[in-house]
Amino acid sequence: MSDERPTSDAEGDAFDEVRDEVRDEARATDADAWAKACAEDLAAEKARRRTEQGRPPSSAAEELRKLVDAVAEKLSGAQSPLFGAVAGGAAQQMVNQVVQQAKAAVEPVIERNPDVFDHLAAAGSELLAAYRSAVEAQEGRWTRDTSSRPKDEGTGPGEHIDLD
C-alpha cells in the first residue's frame, strides 16, 4: 500500500491552481530579470559604441535645425564691408531680422513633419547611390581596354580628311 492518501478532485484542482500561479509568478520574475539583463546589456553596448564611434547621428530634422542655427549665427555675427561703416548698424539689424524670419518659417515645418526630413534624406541617399552607379558604369565604358579593337588611323568612327 501507499503512504499517500487519496485526494478529492476539489483538493487536486485547488493544488493545481496554486502550483500554476507559483509557476506563472516565477516565469514573470524570470522574464523581468531577463528583460532587465537585456536592457543593461544593450545600454552597455550603446555606451561602448558611443565611446568608440562618437555621438550617433541625429535625425534629419534635427540636423536641419542645427544647420539653420549655424547659418543664422554666422550671418548675425558677420560684419559686411559692402554696407560701409555708416550703414553697418542698420544692415546688421536687417540681417538679424531676415534670419529671425527664416527661423520662424522653418521651425514649424520641422516640428510638424520631422519624419518627412528623414524620408527625404533617405531618398537623397538612394538617388546619390543610383547616380554614382551610373557614373561608374559610364567610366567603365570609357576606360575599357581598347587592345581588342582593330588599330587604324583613329579610334573613332570618323574618316581621315586630308587638308593639303
Side-chain angles (χ1 to χ4, degrees):
M1 293 205 99
S2 164
D3 290 335
E4 294 179 14
R5 63 186 175 124
T7 59
S8 69
D9 286 340
E11 285 179 355
D13 289 343
F15 179 74
D16 288 342
E17 287 177 16
V18 169
R19 185 180 61 214
D20 290 343
E21 287 177 17
V22 169
R23 281 187 191 155
D24 290 343
E25 272 185 40
R27 285 184 186 140
T29 304
D30 289 345
D32 289 343
W34 181 257
K36 184 178 178 184
C38 288
E40 289 172 355
D41 289 346
L42 182 61
E45 180 65 19
K46 283 182 179 179
R48 184 188 68 78
R49 287 187 180 184
R50 210 173 344 207
T51 58
E52 189 176 282
Q53 300 172 352
R55 204 171 53 146
S58 55
S59 70
E62 187 61 35
E63 290 297 322
L64 178 61
R65 187 175 288 122
K66 287 178 186 178
L67 175 66
V68 168
D69 289 341
V71 169
E73 184 179 318
K74 282 291 187 183
L75 288 177
S76 296
Q79 296 294 330
S80 177
L82 299 174
F83 298 120
V86 176
Q92 190 66 33
Q93 185 178 5
M94 183 180 71
V95 168
N96 288 341
Q97 183 179 5
V98 169
V99 166
Q100 292 304 320
Q101 287 175 348
K103 283 178 73 173
V106 169
E107 279 297 321
V109 174
I110 293 173
E111 291 296 322
R112 282 191 308 256
N113 308 307
D115 293 339
V116 169
F117 294 101
D118 291 334
H119 291 297
L120 287 174
S125 297
E126 292 296 322
L127 285 172
L128 180 62
Y131 175 76
R132 189 175 293 138
S133 175
V135 167
E136 286 174 357
Q138 185 62 36
E139 286 176 345
R141 285 191 289 268
W142 289 337
T143 60
R144 191 172 301 137
D145 185 20
T146 59
S147 62
S148 63
R149 291 187 194 164
K151 300 282 184 189
D152 40 75
E153 292 182 14
T155 58
E159 64 183 71
H160 178 71
I161 301 174
D162 190 12
L163 298 176
D164 291 331

